[in-house]
């Protein structure tokens, strides 16, 4: 029986409001972590939904030197490929703020899925628990590169993914277990395209996104378009 996970739904007017609320929550989590533990370990979502939030964060004041940045998944593409999640986050945010480069930890997916997963696992093990995990959700209910119908060893922290239905087919992803080892989990969903996934999620379908927990449950920031009654 999976652990009961409390999911708090926060319905906001539009995607811009989701980005603003998300940025606020990230900065609050960072301040609390740095005050309490001297540092902030955040794991970033890929895809397009978080980019407007990343752009807001690039303009925000923060104690950037105390941040450590990880990625929830990566596409097996060259490291400077425009479709890389690490490249998109760098352009929108990370290259624009003074986080020491040695504290930004892209997944070396250019090595290939198996080699990258093996290389990234020790970093994830050393980082757990994350202070904040940011995730998106796909139209089929996937999150990171955990796709419906794909089974992975429960114990692994970082997975090699092949035959992904969302291109590219080869990816690297943290497991649901690793993504759930977090003080806070923030999931962003915007746009009518996500409504079916949200509806299935709310009705209890065992989607990959529904398997993500967190010490304090999960907070979902969703706009009206994506929200299913
Ligand atoms: C990826 C992402 C993926 C993404 C969802 C939502 O590599 O594609 O990690 O899990 O979060 O597919 O994507 P959008 O935000 O672009 O809708």
């Amino acid at each position: 029986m999976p652990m009961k996970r409390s999911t708090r739904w926060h319905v906001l007017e539009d995607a811009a409001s989701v980005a603003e609320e998300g940025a606020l929550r990230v900065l609050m989590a960072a301040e609390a972590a740095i005050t309490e533990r001297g540092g902030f370990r955040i794991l970033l979502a890929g895809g397009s939904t978080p980019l407007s939030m990343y752009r807001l964060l690039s303009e925000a004041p923060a104690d950037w030197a105390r941040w450590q940045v990880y990625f929830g998944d990566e596409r097996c593409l060259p490291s400077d490929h425009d479709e890389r999640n690490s490249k998109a986050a760098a352009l929108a945010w990370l290259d624009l703020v003074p986080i020491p480069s040695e504290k930004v930890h892209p997944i070396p997916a250019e090595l290939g899925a198996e080699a990258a997963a093996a290389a990234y696992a020790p970093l994830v093990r050393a980082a757990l628990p994350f202070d904040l995990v940011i995730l998106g959700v796909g139209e089929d209910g996937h999150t990171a590169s955990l796709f419906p119908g794909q089974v992975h060893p429960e114990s692994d922290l970082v997975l090699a993914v092949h035959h992904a239905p969302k291109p590219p087919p080869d990816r690297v992803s943290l497991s649901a277990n690793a993504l759930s080892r977090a003080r806070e989990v923030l999931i962003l969903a915007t746009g009518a395209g996500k409504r079916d996934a949200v509806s299935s999620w709310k009705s209890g379908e065992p989607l990959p996104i529904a398997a993500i927990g967190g010490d304090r449950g999960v907070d979902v920031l969703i706009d009206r378009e994506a929200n299913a009654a």
Side-chain angles (χ1 to χ4, degrees), residues 23-105:
L24 195 61
R25 285 169 176 259
V26 169
L27 293 168
M28 285 168 62
E31 200 168 327
I34 290 167
T35 302
E36 291 161 26
R37 292 179 294 278
F40 179 53
R41 293 193 295 266
I42 183 172
L43 180 129
L44 302 187
S48 58
T49 300
L51 293 181
S52 41
M53 181 180 77
Y54 295 165
R55 280 189 280 273
L56 291 176
L57 289 167
S58 74
E59 297 158 4
D63 191 353
W64 297 116
R66 293 178 180 268
W67 290 46
Q68 295 257 17
V69 179
Y70 301 83
F71 293 83
D73 72 337
E74 189 55 273
R75 298 118 183 244
C76 291
L77 297 166
S79 56
D80 63 353
H81 193 288
D82 286 347
E83 290 301 306
R84 283 271 300 229
N85 290 327
S86 54
K87 173 83 177 280
L91 290 176
W93 170 24
L94 301 177
D95 284 356
L96 308 176
V97 297
I99 299 177
S101 57
E102 68 273 16
K103 292 192 171 184
V104 178
H105 307 285

Side-chain angles (χ1 to χ4, degrees), residues 2 5 28 37 47 64 80 99 102 116 119 125-126 147 151 168 173 178 182 190 193 195 209:
R5 298 175 177 84
M28 285 168 62
R37 292 179 294 278
W64 297 116
D80 63 353
I99 299 177
E102 68 273 16
R125 192 179 310 283
F147 292 93
V151 182
S173 182
T190 61
R195 189 175 300 158
I209 187 66

Side-chain angles (χ1 to χ4, degrees), residues 9-10 12-20 48-53 135-139 187-195 198 201 220-227:
W9 299 87
H10 309 273
L12 298 159
E13 188 56 36
D14 51 25
S17 307
V18 167
E20 285 159 19
S48 58
T49 300
L51 293 181
S52 41
M53 181 180 77
L135 290 169
V137 59
E139 299 189 358
I187 299 169
L188 309 181
T190 61
K194 304 298 172 73
R195 189 175 300 158
V198 167
W201 181 6
V220 185
L221 302 185
I222 188 167
D223 68 359
R224 291 192 187 290
E225 276 193 11
N227 187 37

